[in-house]
Amino acid sequence: MSTSMNHDAIDWLRSQQKNLYTLFIVNLIGFSAVLRADYVYRDDIRRVLYNFEEWEQSGRLFSYLLSKAVFFGLNADATPFIQIAALFVLSCGGLLLIHALDKNANITHFICLSPLCLSPYMLENLSYKFDALWMALSVLFAIFPFFIYETDNRKSLRFSLTVLSIFCVFNLYQASFGFFIAIFLYLKLRDLRKDQPLSFFFKKRSILLLAAIVATILYAIEVKYFFPVTSDWGKFHSQTSLGNTSHLSILWHNIQRYYESFAKDWDGSLFQYVFLINTYAILIISLKSIFRHRTVAVRIVKTVLLIILLPALSLAPFLIQIFLTYPIFLPRTFLAVGCVFFILLFDPLLLFKDRRPYRYLFIGIALYCALQITIFGNIYGNMLASQKEWENNRLPLLTYHLAKARQMTGCNTIYFANEIGYSPTFHNIGHKYPIIYKLISPSIGRLYFPAEVLLRHGVELYKYPKEPMRDPQPLLFDEPWYDITATDNTCILKFKW
């Protein structure tokens, strides 16, 4: 590969502009309901109030610096523009990924990318107006090494750009490194199916793995000595189970919980049936490819590698998390679903591209999944809008009663005993899509609702205790959807819905 190959890559990218715009429009349609809802999602509440995000304290230095530069020191933009820009960045990442996987791709292959942009993991992260663009950039950088590998054969360039890309991934959004691992293992699976000696399997793209290891070490040095993780959240979720044999049980427990969550979230869903059909096809074709090799020893070794690769591929997007003492299972398991779902849709299209009956079957599955995921994205956005109105319509009466409770008792601290619950519309529709309950947590409650929101309504109630008072409390207000009790200087709010 030389300079002419680089020109070929540029020409290919230019020829794919229509497919890029089509993918972007599909993603935009699927996400349009979220944009219309204009919901201040979870952590965004605090950032809107404080103009403070703590990224530089949580190991995301580049997210912090870019936010300062792009928003002129205001840290973030709460308008939907950033979410739209993030969708376009993800679509560009999809274009680079298609080039790395199959330069003869058509529009159907691009449609298969919709799970990457509209999977629950992406839907949640794109819902954070303050995080969306940096998360999308981290995914783009996770894909970039594979594009470079296919367009330039200079080892020094491949190595240096991969180190830089993965280092950017860690400094933008660490979890996206799992996407790099998943695509790397998928490409190794494809290498395994080729009629090549074992040395080909182990050498192919090894430079990318080496560069990723170097980038990981550099990032570890950065957060250890130069820009350490200082936020409580960052320190809590960066404790690892490495270096202590007694912590191997934690590692095994994390893997078990991951697969349990993976299976439970998608039991009986569209993903489950696609998983069974497409995995069966991939497994059969992979075994047939392996057993074409003339040497029995090579067949045995490749079969063992296939048995290792398939579960490793499903675990890859969550790989970093399994080494943590306190892993974040959501939305990290959503990331795994998005990556694995894309691979399961995409790979059969390549395997059966010359076999028309099967090819049309898997094209139909891919298009149906894209349609269903787009519908799911709009349902999710509509549920956000419903929850937003539900909470906003009840906040004035709630703040009035809290103000009255403060006048009656002199309390200056509030404790939320639970969360506000979901709107009636959410209950009517949400049960059909259980995963939405994990995507949308009520913002009025102990997890995401800071008492400072009440200051905007004239109620001066500050931080609430971690544990509620256990003694019986005098009841101040008994409303259809909440109770307010008080003791000493503490008000306790309990939602009934």
Side-chain angles (χ1 to χ4, degrees), residues 81-320:
F81 169 76
I82 294 303
Q83 294 166 300
I84 296 174
L87 282 172
F88 185 74
V89 170
L90 286 174
S91 300
C92 291
L95 183 66
L96 298 185
L97 181 60
I98 288 292
H99 180 273
L101 298 180
D102 183 18
K103 300 179 185 65
N104 298 318
N106 54 38
I107 188 60
T108 307
H109 297 86
F110 279 84
I111 295 299
C112 289
L113 287 165
S114 58
L116 295 183
C117 301
L118 298 176
S119 69
Y121 173 75
M122 295 303 178
L123 282 173
E124 179 175 31
N125 281 278
L126 289 173
S127 298
Y128 291 102
K129 298 178 181 181
F130 292 62
D131 298 69
L133 185 55
W134 319 134
M135 181 278 299
L137 284 172
S138 70
V139 173
L140 179 65
F141 278 112
I143 294 171
F144 189 69
F146 303 107
F147 175 75
I148 288 297
Y149 187 88
E150 295 298 329
T151 56
D152 201 302
N153 65 348
R154 289 174 291 181
K155 293 183 178 180
S156 59
L157 187 66
R158 287 176 173 177
F159 180 82
S160 58
L161 288 181
T162 300
V163 170
L164 180 61
S165 295
I166 301 304
F167 189 70
C168 288
V169 169
F170 282 123
N171 276 280
L172 287 166
Y173 198 80
Q174 299 95 326
S176 294
F177 180 60
F179 186 78
F180 171 85
I181 300 173
I183 297 303
F184 178 82
L185 290 181
Y186 168 57
L187 289 171
K188 299 307 289 183
L189 174 63
R190 288 173 54 174
D191 294 338
L192 192 66
R193 293 196 293 246
K194 295 178 180 178
D195 189 14
Q196 297 287 344
L198 288 172
S199 58
F200 172 83
F201 172 81
F202 289 107
K203 290 181 180 179
K204 187 73 170 178
R205 299 182 186 84
S206 59
I207 193 170
L208 298 184
L209 181 60
L210 178 61
I213 293 172
V214 171
T216 304
I217 295 172
L218 291 176
Y219 177 71
I221 294 173
E222 175 199 336
V223 296
K224 177 72 173 178
Y225 299 105
F226 297 99
F227 300 98
V229 175
T230 57
S231 68
D232 293 338
W233 185 93
K235 288 189 290 186
F236 182 77
H237 289 295
S238 60
Q239 299 178 42
T240 67
S241 58
L242 298 176
N244 189 335
T245 54
S246 64
H247 288 173
L248 290 177
S249 60
I250 297 177
L251 179 66
W252 177 245
H253 177 67
N254 289 342
I255 294 175
Q256 283 183 309
R257 282 191 61 194
Y258 165 73
Y259 279 115
E260 287 172 1
S261 179
F262 195 99
K264 183 179 179 181
D265 290 345
W266 300 98
D267 182 35
S269 69
L270 169 72
F271 175 79
Q272 182 185 35
Y273 302 114
V274 174
F275 179 86
L276 293 174
I277 296 172
N278 288 31
T279 300
Y280 174 77
I282 292 172
L283 180 62
I284 295 300
I285 297 299
S286 297
L287 287 173
K288 288 180 66 176
S289 301
I290 289 172
F291 277 88
R292 287 197 188 105
H293 204 281
R294 292 185 296 272
T295 308
V296 175
V298 173
R299 293 179 187 174
I300 295 173
V301 174
K302 283 194 171 186
T303 302
V304 172
L305 289 173
L306 178 64
I307 294 172
I308 296 173
L309 266 179
L310 288 178
L313 183 58
S314 66
L315 186 63
F318 196 72
L319 185 63
I320 296 177

Side-chain angles (χ1 to χ4, degrees), residues 353-371:
K353 63 181 179 181
D354 296 326
R355 303 179 185 182
R356 285 195 173 183
Y358 297 106
R359 177 190 174 194
Y360 292 142
L361 169 65
F362 289 107
I363 286 176
I365 290 175
L367 293 177
Y368 176 73
C369 290
L371 176 62

